[in-house]
């Protein structure tokens, strides 16, 4: 699907996540992100950076990149270099103050602001896909929800990447590694205040994951209404059973009231290591590959990058690791001659390694909103936007002790099995809808295998198929009022998207066809979930707080009209994954279970693009875990090689 082939009349760029642009920008003096030693590893001097030789060169300083790079740098015998296109945003209130979430979206200093080609499943709209561009990557612009998927979802990875512990048990230690769960227990009058199991939590990792300390007035009412609707509270979703309503932790450091993203968490703790080097404001354009007759494969010898309109090459002696994210890691593979040979030839790039599924297999979570205006006096995040008195009061509290609304996030997430809210007849029709996807003989063997896994989950009804996120704020404020928004989304879609280069110009944007809501199954799951969310809003005590329905517009009363509304209003939760998937090569995999790109000896991928089979959760904690795990895999390989040569 190309831009030119679809009528562009209805092109409205929307993303649910742009919503917070409507909040006012709260400025505060923020203390130094790294507490004083921030800039030591960072350089903008591309000439000097490229004059040095690295053992490991990493592209992209986001969740996966910073986790793997910093862990590798803990071995003082190796030199580690990272090339990052964005800059380091030192002590920046737009990033650091939690209530400013969303303010950076669309701003090129922080956000790549990709845009899809018109999406037939979404009313022909081109939809923005935000991606963080900075030291910290998308963790610097995300919504700070800290969550994990269920056992079965991680265990499915092992079907595609066997023998390296890509399952729940193998990942659990690495999911604990990033986290410093603080405080452990609180007396908050909410769902997971009293029960948690320390066995599943990390207490000494770099990312502070903490419970919110400020809750809107709708929060307790929503919990009670959700409870009446039959959703059970889940007190410990981190143990691999995610169904139910959770009050999730946020990556917020409570003592400072600031976002604990990959920069303060991973970068700062390593900023003063002499063997750790971060080049910012520089965009990788190609991996330099050399044929090795000895190994019968390609060897990555360095990375070409563009800085201030000049092209440089940095040299790596051991490995190159791509961690540019789900959109740009496949782009870099293609620019380097790795991918579907006919796509590469069509843009004038010499194919070196034919891996036809590079850039394919993109999976994402798509949500539709139900927004309600609240009665006067109900306090939500909207007050920071509409009431200068409250905004000033809250700013003062934040300045005093870093608490209050400015430190707050939205944390009520429900992961839902269909049989909780969909009648059995409709579930049967959903299953039949999925069967048509399964029966489509044009699907690749890889996709067929994924569909078998998904069908199994659907049959068993154990893995949650949908999510409702409660936001104490508007996605579309109409007036100076307060709102609650219930976002309803599909977690295991049948649709797949793709990202490919359209030109050999490395600085051109790749073409993204997200494939959102192409499969009827996905649309129907969103429809049923949206209707359920709207049912929750009719229950006490929530309903007594509601003044009126804003979205869907009140005249939208039947399924046909709701489906039309979903087409027109659905947006991505910004969880794209799977475009350089870990799977056997003959199945269409891009990387093996050591995350090494097929046909190369030493080029790896370490970010959300390696996920072989989509997970139904917010991704960041899993991506950090992938980085932690890859560092361990590399360490083990090195120890093994040292043994061999001894
Ligand atoms: C708006 C938004 C909200 C989200 N909300 C949540 C949430 O609440 N909870 C949650 O768990 N997850 C959330 N996510 C998802 C989560 O943040 C991402 O899945 C995660 O950060 C992905 O990690 P990554 O390593 O794959 O990529 P990223 O973290 O995006 O890092 C990629 C890095 O590579 C750099 N890069 C790219 N190309 C190049 C190049 N050619 N040269 C040099 N550098 C390059 C980028 O600038 C970026 O810094 C959200 C994401 C977004 C965008
Ligand atoms: C949290 O609990 C763990 C395990 O019980 C303990 O090691 C840690 O010190 C506790 N942290 C805090 C802040 O209470
Ligand atoms: C609702 O809350 C009550 C009281 O806390 C609890 O007993 C009940 O099990 C909850 N309902 C559901 C569906 O979990
Ligand atoms: C960028 O290039 C311009 C023109 O070549 C030069 O004047 C400038 O100093 C360079 N800036 C940096 C940061 O290297
Ligand atoms: C690079 O060159 C282009 C076109 O010549 C110019 O528009 C752009 O501002 C330059 N960028 C930098 C960083 O100098
Ligand atoms: C490779 O790309 C070509 C051209 O876009 C396409 O026709 C073909 O189906 C692709 N091959 C695979 C295996 O995806
Ligand atoms: C702002 O909030 C204060 C405190 O709740 C309230 O007294 C006042 O009326 C509000 N102002 C407006 C304009 O709504
Ligand atoms: C922060 O200050 C406010 C206002 O003085 C107070 O109500 C609140 O309890 C304090 N919070 C903490 C965590 O100290
Ligand atoms: C795929 O299915 C279609 C229709 O169901 C059928 O006509 C076609 O022959 C099938 N192709 C293959 C290769 O099996
Ligand atoms: C909301 O309030 C602002 C400032 O108080 C005012 O400028 C604006 O016109 C109001 N908007 C609406 C829709 O009432
Ligand atoms: C569904 O609702 C729409 C919009 O209100 C209306 O135009 C349409 O006639 C309705 N369809 C049915 C089958 O009731």
């Amino acid at each position: 699907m190309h831009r030119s082939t679809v009528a562009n009349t209805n092109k409205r760029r929307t993303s649910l996540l742009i919503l917070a642009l409507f909040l006012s920008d709260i400025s505060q003096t923020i203390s130094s992100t790294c507490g004083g030693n921030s800039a030591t590893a960072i350089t903008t001097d591309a000439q000097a950076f490229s004059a040095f030789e690295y053992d490991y060169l990493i592209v992209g300083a986001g969740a996966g990149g910073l986790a793997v790079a910093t862990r590798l740098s803990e071995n003082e015998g190796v030199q580690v270099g990272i090339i990052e296109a964005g800059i380091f945003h030192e002590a920046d209130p737009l990033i650091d103050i939690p209530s400013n979430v969303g303010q950076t979206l669309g701003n090129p200093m922080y956000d790549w602001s990709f845009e899809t080609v018109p999406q037939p499943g979404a009313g022909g709209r081109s939809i923005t896909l935000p991606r963080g561009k900075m030291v910290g990557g998308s963790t610097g612009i995300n919504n700070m929800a800290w969550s994990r998927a269920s056992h079965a979802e991680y265990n499915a990875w092992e079907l595609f990447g066997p023998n390296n512990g890509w399952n729940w048990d193998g990942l659990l230690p690495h999911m604990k590694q990033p986290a410093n769960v603080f405080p452990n227990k609180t007396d908050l009058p909410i769902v997971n205040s009293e029960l948690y199991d320390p066995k599943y939590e990390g207490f000494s990792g770099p990312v502070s994951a903490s419970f919110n300390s400020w809750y809107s007035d709708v929060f307790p009412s929503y919990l009670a209404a959700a409870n009446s609707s039959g959703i059970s509270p889940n007190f410990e979703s981190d143990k691999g059973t995610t169904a139910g309503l959770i009050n999730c932790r946020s990556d917020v450091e409570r003592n400072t009231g600031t976002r604990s993203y990959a920069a303060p968490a991973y970068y700062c703790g390593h900023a003063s290591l002499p063997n750790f080097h971060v080049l910012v404001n520089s965009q990788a354009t190609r991996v330099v590959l050399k044929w090795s007759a000895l190994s019968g494969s390609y060897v990555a010898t360095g990375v070409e990058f563009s800085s201030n309109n000049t092209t440089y090459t940095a040299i790596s002696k051991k490995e190159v690791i791509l961690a540019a994210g789900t959109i740009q890691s496949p782009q870099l593979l293609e620019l380097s001659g790795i991918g579907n040979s006919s796509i590469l030839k069509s843009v004038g790039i010499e194919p070196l390694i034919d891996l036809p599924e590079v850039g394919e297999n993109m999976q994402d979570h798509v949500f539709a909103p139900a927004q309600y205006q609240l009665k006067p006096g109900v306090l939500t995040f909207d007050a920071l936007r509409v009431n200068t008195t409250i905004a000033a009061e809250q700013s003062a509290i934040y300045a005093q002790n870093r608490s209050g609304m400015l430190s707050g996030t939205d944390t009520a997430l429900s992961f839902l099995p269909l049989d909780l809210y969909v009648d059995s007849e409709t579930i049967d029709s959903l299953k039949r809808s999925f069967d048509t996807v399964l029966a489509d003989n044009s699907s690749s063997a890889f996709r067929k295998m994924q569909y078998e896994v998904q069908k199994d989950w659907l049959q068993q009804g154990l893995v949650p198929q949908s999510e409702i996120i409660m936001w104490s704020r508007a996605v579309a404020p109409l007036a100076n009022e307060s709102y609650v928004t219930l976002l309803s989304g599909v977690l295991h879609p049948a649709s797949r998207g793709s990202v490919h280069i359209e030109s050999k110009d490395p600085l051109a944007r790749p073409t993204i066809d997200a494939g959102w809501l192409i499969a009827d199954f996905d649309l129907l799951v969103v429809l049923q979930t949206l209707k359920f969310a709207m049912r929750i809003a009719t229950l006490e005590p929530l309903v007594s707080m509601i003044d009126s329905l804003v979205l869907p517009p009140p005249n939208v009363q039947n399924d046909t009209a709701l489906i039309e509304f979903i087409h027109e209003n659905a947006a991505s939760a910004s969880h794209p994954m799977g475009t350089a998937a870990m799977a056997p090569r003959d199945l269409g995999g891009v990387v093996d279970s050591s995350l090494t790109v097929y046909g190369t000896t030493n080029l790896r991928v370490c970010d959300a693009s390696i996920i072989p089979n989509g997970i139904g959760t917010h991704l960041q904690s899993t991506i950090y875990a992938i980085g932690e795990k890859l560092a361990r895999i590399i360490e083990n390989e090195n120890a093994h090689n040292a043994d061999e040569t001894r």
Side-chain angles (χ1 to χ4, degrees), residues 28-348:
Q28 284 268 337
T29 310
I30 293 292
S31 50
S32 161
T33 304
C34 289
N37 69 347
S38 54
T40 33
I42 286 181
T43 179
T44 53
D45 188 341
Q47 182 67 53
F49 184 90
S50 66
F52 194 75
E53 290 189 355
Y54 303 89
D55 294 292
Y56 299 96
L57 262 182
I58 289 95
V59 175
L66 274 176
V68 70
T70 54
R71 292 308 184 196
L72 290 172
S73 75
E74 287 169 6
N75 173 357
E76 60 186 24
V78 300
Q79 294 291 337
V80 178
I82 308 194
I83 299 169
E84 166 56 48
I87 62 168
F88 179 55
H89 290 279
E90 163 73 0
D92 185 337
L94 289 183
I95 294 175
D96 296 344
I97 299 179
S99 71
N100 279 340
V101 66
Q103 299 280 335
T104 54
L105 301 185
N107 179 336
M109 286 297 289
Y110 304 86
D111 180 5
W112 290 90
S113 302
F114 289 111
E115 193 181 324
T116 67
V117 298
Q119 295 293 289
R125 289 172 299 144
S126 292
I127 301 182
T128 48
L129 187 61
R131 297 276 87 198
K133 182 180 185 179
M134 65 182 83
V135 175
S138 295
T139 67
I141 66 171
N142 75 17
N143 289 22
M144 292 163 279
W146 187 258
S147 67
R148 277 179 204 161
S150 60
H151 288 125
E153 293 165 84
Y154 296 112
N155 285 341
W157 291 13
E158 198 173 30
L159 299 170
F160 304 93
N163 308 325
N164 229 338
W166 292 105
N167 54 27
W168 170 266
D169 288 339
L171 276 161
L172 182 59
H174 304 297
M175 290 198 281
K176 289 160 68 170
Q177 257 173 317
N180 176 16
V181 166
F182 174 83
N184 293 338
K185 289 189 186 187
T186 67
D187 53 5
L188 296 170
I190 43 159
V191 283
N192 50 7
S193 57
E194 55 205 47
L195 289 176
Y196 86 105
D197 189 340
K199 186 163 84 201
Y200 298 104
E201 307 299 348
F203 297 100
S204 52
V207 180
S208 293
S210 62
F211 290 121
N212 213 358
S213 59
W214 183 86
Y215 293 90
S216 74
D217 288 350
V218 276
F219 193 87
S221 300
Y222 173 73
L223 294 192
N227 178 292
S228 302
S229 78
I231 307 178
S232 314
N234 183 338
F235 293 95
E236 182 52 285
S237 61
D238 285 351
K239 71 171 184 291
T241 44
T242 56
L245 195 152
I246 74 171
N247 174 17
C248 75
R249 295 186 176 87
S250 304
D251 48 298
V252 173
E253 160 56 64
R254 281 300 147 200
N255 294 321
T256 57
T258 53
R259 179 192 291 263
S260 179
Y261 67 114
Y266 280 92
Y267 166 72
C268 291
H270 299 77
S272 52
L273 294 180
N275 60 330
F276 181 54
H277 315 267
V278 183
L279 176 69
V280 295
N281 229 340
S282 300
Q283 186 169 343
T285 51
R286 188 168 74 94
V287 179
V288 184
L289 295 165
K290 213 177 79 194
W291 174 252
S292 157
L294 191 66
S295 63
S297 57
Y298 283 90
V299 177
T301 60
V303 174
E304 202 175 85
F305 63 93
S306 167
S307 194
N308 195 22
N309 278 342
T310 308
T311 301
Y312 302 86
T313 304
I315 290 173
S316 76
K317 291 182 290 186
K318 284 197 165 81
E319 304 211 7
V320 171
I321 302 172
L322 296 182
T326 301
I327 306 303
Q328 287 149 298
S329 282
Q331 178 190 21
L332 281 165
L333 288 170
E334 292 186 340
L335 289 168
S336 309
I338 302 173
N340 177 336
S341 296
S342 42
I343 293 179
L344 301 188
K345 279 185 207 143
S346 73
V347 300

Side-chain angles (χ1 to χ4, degrees), residues 555-561:
N555 68 330
V556 171
Q557 298 276 6
N558 55 44
D559 284 6
T560 315

